[in-house]
Amino acid sequence: RWTTVMRCWILLGCNTAMAAHEIATLTIEECNLDEGYISRFREKTGIWARWKLWPETIDYLKKCIELEPNPIK
């Protein structure tokens, strides 16, 4: 399980240049996996950002959602 989560975090960091806090606060509502984007306000700058996700990142996000279908956020 942790290997999947860790790989997802690594892919998100490489794909979007998000730091750990941004990844940890990411919500399902901000992820459009059908279109392959994450859209959200960046906390540090308050600027709206949108990232195109790599196919590998989408796959691992889906795997993480399967592992934890009812996340806290």
Side-chain angles (χ1 to χ4, degrees):
R1 177 179 187 264
W2 286 109
T3 302
T4 300
V5 174
M6 291 167 79
R7 287 182 182 177
C8 184
W9 276 50
I10 291 166
L11 282 165
L12 280 167
C14 292
N15 189 164
T16 65
M18 287 184 184
H21 179 73
E22 285 185 292
I23 294 171
T25 59
L26 187 64
T27 65
I28 291 176
E29 292 79 20
E30 296 169 330
C31 302
N32 184 334
L33 301 182
D34 294 329
E35 292 185 21
Y37 287 96
I38 291 176
S39 301
R40 71 180 307 187
F41 281 101
R42 298 201 76 174
E43 288 186 33
K44 185 175 180 180
T45 61
I47 295 172
W48 184 256
R50 186 174 189 209
W51 296 270
K52 176 70 177 161
L53 299 174
W54 301 331
E56 297 88 352
T57 308
I58 294 168
D59 290 342
Y60 271 91
L61 279 167
K62 288 179 179 178
K63 288 177 185 179
C64 285
I65 291 168
E66 287 174 14
L67 289 172
E68 184 59 54
N70 298 308
I72 296 169
K73 293 191 177 228

